[in-house]
Amino acid sequence: MSNKMHIQLNVNGEAHEFLAEPRELLIYALRERLNITGPHVGCDTSHCGACTVTLDGKSVKACTMFVAQANGAEITTIEGIGSPDALHVLQESFREHHGLQCGFCTPGMITRAVKLLEENPTPTEEEVRFGMAGNICRCTGYQNIVKSILAAANEMNAQPSSSEAVGHNKVEAAE
Amino acid sequence: MKDEVQTREDRVANLKGMGCSRKRVEDARFTQGKGNYVDDVKLPGMLHGDFVRSPYGHARIKSIDTSAALALDGVVAVLTAEDLAPLNLHWMPTLAGDKQMVLADGKVLFQGQEVAFVVARDRYVAADAVELVEVDYEDLPVIVNPHESLQSDVVLREDLAGQTSGAHGPRKHHNHIFTWEVGDKEGTEQVMENADVVVEQSMYYHRTHPCPLETCGSVASMDKVNGKLTVYGTFQAPHVVRTVASLLSGIEEHNIRVISPDIGGGFGNKVGVYPGYVCSIVASIVTGKPVKWVEDRMENLMSTAFARDYHMTGKISATKDGKITGLDCHVIADHGAFDACADPTKFPAGFMNICTGSYDIPVAHLAVDGVYTNKAPGGVSYRCSFRVTEAVYLIERMIEVLAIELNMDAAELRRINFIKKEQFPYTSALGWEYDSGDYHTAWDKALEAVDYKGLRAEQAERVAAFKRGETRSLMGIGLTFFTEIVGAGPVKNCDILGMGMFDSCEIRIHPTGSAIARLGTISQGQGHATTFAQILASEIGLPADSITIEEGDTDTAPYGLGTYGSRSTPVAGAATAMAGRKIRAKAQMIAAYLLEVHDDDVEFDVDRFVVKGAPERFKTMKDIAYAAYNQAIPGIEPGLEAVSYYDPPNMTYPFGAYICVMDIDVDTGVPDIRKFYALDDCGTRINPMIIEGQIHGGLTEALAVSLGQEIAYDDMGNVKTGTLMDFFLPTAWEVPNYETDHTVTPSPHHPIGAKGVGESPHVGGVPCFSNAVQDAFRPFGNRHTNMPHDHWRIWKTANDLGLHG
């Protein structure tokens, strides 16, 4: 099992290089090699979305992707969305509308929501519920998560400049 | 000074005390990915543990060969029962007075049981080594049905052979655990014999699982130089874990530090003590290195903490106009391979004897028989106080069945049987003293809010249209009125492994007027850091934003029994208020000294003590805190600290009225929840935002359990629902918006009148969803069908009733 691969990743704007077995999952490369522990492991089968990251502009569940498959990719995790001094609108909105409780699903949830609002800046409630259906929360019953996302969408549309913290794969939210 | 121009309202608002929807202080770290859960704990030199688990439901172990695993590069140790036996750790006591194998000792009793523990350099090597451990099994007959188990010649627990008595009295059969009986058997039988109407209904409350998004795990680190063991873990009761770890390992308790870091949801899953915890500790002692064990989702669903699995039979009697005269219940309780239920010691079936519900039932009787089967141990309270969900499901189904028998409206049947407001405190036929309630007011408010009469009229029209062939959709109206029993509990009758179920709070006020308070509980999403600071803000007059709440480190927090059974606010919340009052009492003396008046001449007002009749003369709590540390006050010790250990005089009894409206497609079995109205009365409300969040979440877990979630076994003892592919967790797509409402009936014995709320929505929600499904089919002759009402079972109900033509 010593066939290691040379892996290059760009995570949250930082370049990383390491040798890894091809079977190593992306989530463990992030969490255990790079100490990026925001994305979590909840189910191991890509159902719960706690491990959601953005990879080359797409929402991806890092628990079922080999790091070898991610070689050369540009990845954004929750750690690359906003900063303590300049939170992303969604991070503010989840707090404002009580969109989280135990916090375990939250990094994946917000990472997915950022992407969702890039894909669809003016979603209906139904579109939010459908677009977030790959992320499971056991605490909130989703009502306040949906509320947080819709409120953030409104705010981002009202103030286009405030969505600048989205990160690397930003799509202009408003015309 | 700025302070002097503030109005009283400003000063109250500035505290962010009880009653306001204060935003959560926890959220900053969670929204930025800076939570610290057990799998985030990484210690230098840390090794990883992984289990070899039984593929069989019941088998004899003929041999275990660990040599190939040990030969693999990176494997440090492989532990089996043989290695643990000299330490007497191959078995451990359970919370229910039974014992449980830590690692399989001669045989395995359920699929997924822990057989060997591999310790390796990283998780991949550990997983490889698990595959290399050779276990030779000889399969034995498997029993997954408790009724069968009680008739079978097969002895599941050979270690108990010949023992005719267990922790809870006589055993009637080698697979029988206990009989727990409460109430008046003969009195109930007599009433039933003479009653106008008696209905009997059997129902199965299926096995399910709390399934928090974070699985269970621990990181143990034995520091051999200082003789100190530190254990990080997913513990809902860290102090109890420390005591158990000390008793099991022989390490003195002061040399063990247990830390519950952030916990990714508990819902009862993280109350028990699991073999993984024990093995990580032993492995750290053996290897001298930190050892991490974190279970994967399949291991979580298969081996740690199932819930329910109650085969219940209810018998209810009434007069012909609907006044209930008696209730008799019998339960066959499937406890799996070991009795590891997490209940207070004297209650082997938890508080199942709350099954008379919200109704004034003069006489009742309950008997519960615990039974061993080849299923995983557990029996935890999944988002409910001990077995209260089972109890409420039973009575709320019996009411519906009785309504059918009497041809009465189920809402009216409930109303005429409610305990009346003036009957509180009310002693139930099965021995509980309900503290307070006003059920009629809540029920009327709920029925009016949903336009109950209008709904029934619409439903009747729908049935008529269905019969005319104009629609294939039926409409169900689910009703539930529940009373919870939470806040365990009074030390006189509630203990866990002998430790009374009090809880605690310790407060230190800092010289500059901020504070830290530590509690014996541990938040798993409930927002303790936010709400307990609000209680304190109101009690001691310092802003909640200046108060840190800390829990979960046994080296710093006072001893407490932890967070489950909605006990944090009823018990630790009370301790917090009481400790705050001790602070206030000392502050009063300091204020009086500073203002040069007698102690009795000052009074507390929001954030200060004022001289009575002279409000311009005052000292703020901030002034007083400073004085406590820098003035020599005659007769008063320096400092401003307090600790309170609170032994609740009674349980608290939150209640609620829930109504669900559902359209059901008869041909696909798909239910569409059109409306869900939830009125909760949890007494004094500390933070409405958090209360509502808890209700949304609890209702969603109830929806899951009622409409599809189960741990199912096949006849060979294979778990059929071991991943999230098969185990139903609703997503945002399947969940409706809920309407929340409330009444406020404070607990008369709780210092701030709060009753607890986190579990009410689950307890009330499960029967409400189920009643909605069953109500849709009532006009076609349905009396009862078992949960979970997944699409197939709903379709089958329709088919059995001949609705598919």
Side-chain angles (χ1 to χ4, degrees):
Chain A
M1 288 294 205
S2 61
N3 301 331
K4 293 197 171 177
M5 279 184 69
H6 179 213
I7 305 287
Q8 289 181 300
L9 298 178
N10 184 307
V11 187
N12 302 325
E14 213 173 294
H16 298 273
E17 280 189 57
F18 50 87
L19 293 176
E21 286 181 39
R23 66 170 178 170
E24 184 169 316
L25 292 166
L26 176 58
I27 188 69
Y28 293 123
L30 294 172
R31 291 179 48 81
E32 295 181 353
R33 262 176 208 285
L34 309 180
N35 294 315
I36 294 168
T37 55
H40 298 134
V41 181
C43 70
D44 322 286
T45 49
S46 39
H47 287 84
C48 83
C51 62
T52 304
V53 300
T54 305
L55 185 138
D56 290 340
K58 288 199 169 75
S59 291
V60 160
K61 292 178 176 175
C63 80
T64 36
M65 184 178 206
F66 294 117
V67 69
Q69 293 171 286
N71 196 9
E74 199 164 288
I75 295 169
T76 307
T77 70
I78 187 69
E79 287 89 345
I81 296 170
S83 67
D85 301 326
L87 291 180
H88 189 277
V89 177
L90 273 159
Q91 289 170 316
E92 295 273 18
S93 191
F94 268 65
R95 176 167 194 264
E96 184 63 29
H97 299 285
H98 192 31
L100 66 150
Q101 292 181 26
C102 81
F104 197 78
C105 75
T106 311
M109 200 63 83
I110 292 180
T111 304
R112 171 61 198 145
V114 167
K115 194 72 220 146
L116 175 72
L117 294 188
E118 284 175 17
E119 293 160 359
N120 180 0
T122 53
T124 61
E125 178 181 337
E126 199 173 47
E127 286 168 342
V128 169
R129 286 185 177 274
F130 188 78
M132 297 302 295
N135 291 70
I136 286 173
C137 170
R138 296 285 292 134
C139 301
T140 65
Y142 305 103
Q143 192 157 332
N144 288 343
I145 290 178
V146 173
K147 202 167 151 189
S148 304
I149 296 171
L150 289 171
N154 274 339
E155 193 172 326
M156 287 161 76
N157 293 332
Q159 299 170 328
S161 60
S162 68
S163 64
E164 269 171 17
V166 167
H168 315 287
N169 306 303
K170 182 175 160 284
V171 174
E172 276 306 318
E175 298 304 318
Chain B
M1 283 167 67
K2 181 172 171 275
D3 196 47
E4 287 166 21
V5 297
Q6 275 191 322
T7 64
R8 192 169 187 280
E9 288 70 34
D10 287 342
R11 291 194 281 121
V12 170
N14 183 43
L15 290 184
K16 297 187 189 167
M18 280 192 285
C20 81
S21 286
R22 181 182 184 222
K23 303 301 175 200
R24 299 200 331 161
V25 298
E26 295 90 341
D27 293 356
R29 69 177 184 278
F30 294 145
T31 55
Q32 294 177 71
K34 298 297 179 198
N36 182 38
Y37 302 89
V38 71
D39 203 15
D40 300 336
V41 173
K42 193 172 181 182
L43 302 176
M46 188 173 77
L47 304 171
H48 290 256
D50 201 352
F51 279 111
V52 176
R53 291 178 181 273
S54 168
Y56 291 94
H58 193 195
R60 186 135 354 252
I61 294 181
K62 291 161 77 181
S63 65
I64 304 177
D65 182 357
T66 60
S67 56
L70 281 167
L72 185 70
D73 180 40
V75 173
V76 180
V78 181
L79 302 176
T80 63
E82 229 170 76
D83 302 303
L84 300 186
L87 307 165
N88 204 23
L89 284 173
H90 53 321
W91 289 74
M92 64 177 180
T94 69
L95 298 180
D98 194 1
K99 56 182 181 160
Q100 172 179 357
M101 290 179 205
V102 173
L103 291 172
D105 183 17
K107 69 189 270 190
V108 287
L109 286 153
F110 65 95
Q111 188 183 54
Q113 188 178 336
E114 301 81 359
V115 174
F117 190 67
V118 172
V119 186
R121 185 178 60 212
D122 66 40
R123 66 173 70 241
Y124 284 88
V125 176
D128 288 341
V130 163
E131 297 298 316
L132 294 173
V133 174
E134 288 283 343
V135 186
D136 191 6
Y137 297 98
E138 176 192 328
D139 59 340
L140 296 169
V142 175
I143 306 174
V144 293
N145 178 315
H147 300 283
E148 225 171 83
S149 186
L150 286 177
Q151 307 296 327
S152 174
D153 293 336
V154 177
V155 179
L156 299 181
R157 289 288 299 276
E158 288 161 350
D159 60 296
L160 301 179
Q163 289 189 21
T164 53
S165 187
H168 305 289
R171 299 174 65 214
K172 294 189 286 205
H173 178 267
H174 51 251
N175 295 333
H176 179 253
I177 311 172
F178 63 82
T179 300
W180 189 57
E181 207 164 353
V182 200
D184 181 354
K185 188 166 191 262
E186 278 121 48
T188 308
E189 275 169 7
Q190 269 178 19
V191 164
M192 300 268 168
E193 272 170 33
N194 302 317
D196 295 350
V197 181
V198 179
V199 281
E200 187 175 321
Q201 182 64 54
S202 293
M203 57 190 86
Y204 175 47
Y205 198 144
H206 58 290
R207 177 175 277 235
T208 183
H209 193 283
C211 193
L213 204 56
E214 179 203 33
T215 59
C216 298
S218 56
V219 179
S221 178
M222 183 73 209
D223 173 352
K224 290 195 174 175
V225 176
N226 296 304
K228 184 134 186 161
L229 171 70
T230 304
V231 189
Y232 299 82
T234 47
F235 308 133
Q236 287 182 237
H239 299 272
V240 178
V241 169
R242 186 186 67 189
T243 302
V244 172
S246 175
L247 293 172
L248 286 180
S249 69
I251 301 170
E252 281 193 90
E253 204 166 350
H254 72 102
N255 278 329
I256 302 177
R257 181 181 184 190
V258 173
I259 299 172
S260 292
D262 287 325
I263 295 182
F267 316 122
N269 191 191
K270 294 163 183 174
V271 174
V273 175
Y274 300 123
Y277 302 156
V278 177
C279 287
S280 69
I281 292 171
V282 174
S284 181
I285 294 171
V286 169
T287 62
K289 293 194 170 163
V291 176
K292 177 187 277 187
W293 165 75
V294 176
E295 60 181 1
D296 65 26
R297 178 57 60 197
M298 190 179 269
E299 293 177 294
N300 176 252
L301 290 171
M302 285 172 71
S303 71
T304 51
F306 80 90
R308 328 290 193 231
D309 218 343
Y310 261 32
H311 299 254
M312 308 191 281
T313 303
K315 206 168 158 187
I316 196 163
S317 62
T319 64
K320 56 183 178 304
D321 45 8
K323 187 80 188 92
I324 299 170
T325 54
L327 177 72
D328 198 355
C329 310
H330 182 244
V331 181
I332 296 284
D334 186 339
H335 284 222
F338 307 100
D339 186 9
C341 287
D343 293 314
T345 307
K346 296 185 188 73
F347 297 89
F351 303 153
M352 184 64 200
N353 56 332
I354 194 78
C355 61
T356 53
S358 313
Y359 311 103
D360 185 15
I361 301 178
V363 65
H365 169 252
L366 164 72
V368 181
D369 283 294
V371 182
Y372 291 122
T373 60
N374 290 122
K375 289 151 90 172
V380 299
S381 312
Y382 169 12
R383 199 147 187 163
C384 69
S385 193
F386 313 98
R387 299 286 185 188
V388 177
T389 307
E390 289 91 323
V392 171
Y393 186 73
L394 178 102
I395 186 67
E396 289 302 295
R397 282 303 303 147
M398 290 313 294
I399 293 279
E400 294 285 320
V401 170
L402 180 61
I404 293 168
E405 186 73 22
L406 292 165
N407 196 25
M408 263 184 89
D409 177 80
E412 184 56 21
L413 180 59
R414 284 180 172 85
R415 184 204 310 277
I416 64 174
N417 285 290
F418 280 146
I419 299 161
K420 296 185 188 71
K421 189 180 173 185
E422 59 273 17
Q423 287 177 280
F424 292 94
Y426 171 84
T427 303
S428 75
L430 295 179
W432 295 111
E433 190 189 291
Y434 292 32
D435 59 349
S436 64
D438 182 355
Y439 300 165
H440 286 92
T441 301
W443 196 229
D444 290 343
K445 191 176 180 185
L447 296 178
E448 203 186 311
V450 300
D451 181 21
Y452 180 67
K453 278 186 185 159
L455 287 172
R456 283 293 178 204
E458 187 191 343
Q459 185 186 36
E461 276 170 34
R462 181 79 66 86
V463 170
F466 183 87
K467 287 180 176 167
R468 291 195 301 269
E470 293 165 14
T471 178
R472 295 298 291 160
S473 161
L474 293 175
M475 175 177 163
I477 304 169
L479 304 177
T480 284
F481 197 100
F482 66 91
T483 299
E484 259 253 74
I485 171 170
V486 306
V491 172
K492 63 177 187 281
N493 57 9
C494 290
D495 71 273
I496 298 268
L497 291 177
M499 257 87 62
M501 293 181 73
F502 58 84
D503 227 290
S504 58
C505 175
E506 181 193 280
I507 307 170
R508 292 183 189 178
I509 310 291
H510 307 315
T512 52
S514 65
I516 184 165
R518 297 187 171 98
L519 291 85
T521 43
I522 176 72
S523 192
Q524 308 128 35
Q526 294 91 338
H528 291 176
T530 304
T531 52
F532 287 129
Q534 288 181 261
I535 296 176
L536 267 185
S538 293
E539 291 290 343
I540 65 176
L542 292 173
D545 289 346
S546 302
I547 301 168
T548 295
I549 300 291
E550 202 180 271
E551 303 172 301
D553 182 342
T554 60
D555 262 11
T556 55
Y559 203 100
L561 273 281
T563 295
Y564 43 87
S566 279
R567 66 184 301 281
S568 298
T569 296
V571 192
T576 304
M578 298 308 273
R581 287 171 196 182
K582 289 182 186 177
I583 296 276
R584 213 161 78 188
K586 185 171 178 182
Q588 180 166 2
M589 293 192 286
I590 297 171
Y593 171 81
L594 296 173
L595 292 161
E596 299 179 345
V597 294
H598 188 272
D599 290 358
D600 295 339
D601 292 331
V602 292
E603 61 188 353
F604 185 69
D605 179 48
V606 186
D607 57 353
R608 63 194 56 185
F609 277 95
V610 300
V611 176
K612 286 179 186 169
E616 73 286 358
R617 294 189 62 208
F618 64 85
K619 288 290 170 190
T620 64
M621 283 301 293
K622 209 171 166 176
D623 299 334
I624 295 165
Y626 195 63
Y629 289 91
N630 71 38
Q631 289 218 17
I633 303 173
I636 299 181
E637 277 182 21
L640 195 50
E641 301 188 3
V643 58
S644 172
Y645 282 78
Y646 188 80
D647 177 8
N650 191 5
M651 316 287 283
T652 60
Y653 296 77
F655 58 92
Y658 291 177
I659 299 170
C660 173
V661 184
M662 202 182 261
D663 296 311
I664 291 176
D665 184 319
V666 170
D667 297 319
T668 61
V670 176
D672 177 28
I673 300 149
R674 193 205 308 175
K675 183 183 201 61
F676 199 106
Y677 169 90
L679 179 148
D680 276 273
D681 191 321
C682 59
T684 304
R685 289 156 63 87
I686 298 165
N687 183 321
M689 176 190 82
I690 286 180
I691 289 171
E692 282 176 22
Q694 293 267 302
I695 291 166
H696 298 163
L699 288 175
T700 302
E701 290 191 344
L703 181 155
V705 168
S706 187
L707 301 184
Q709 182 181 90
E710 66 178 320
I711 295 288
Y713 285 81
D714 69 11
D715 291 344
M716 301 295 291
N718 297 306
V719 180
K720 296 197 289 181
T721 52
T723 75
L724 298 195
M725 249 175 282
D726 318 293
F727 186 81
F728 174 48
L729 297 182
T731 68
W733 188 243
E734 285 117 354
V735 174
N737 281 310
Y738 305 102
E739 293 168 44
T740 52
D741 203 347
H742 63 278
T743 55
V744 177
T745 312
S747 168
H749 62 77
H750 187 278
I752 58 169
K755 288 185 168 186
V757 72
E759 298 167 337
S760 293
H762 191 88
V763 167
V766 173
C768 193
F769 286 111
S770 179
N771 283 346
V773 173
Q774 315 223 25
D775 181 69
F777 295 107
R778 176 176 167 176
F780 302 91
N782 173 58
R783 196 161 102 154
H784 174 82
T785 54
N786 282 327
M787 295 188 293
H789 307 292
D790 54 22
H791 301 175
W792 181 77
R793 283 187 181 91
I794 292 178
W795 179 90
K796 188 168 184 305
T797 300
N799 200 55
D800 290 348
L801 294 169
L803 302 185
H804 292 146

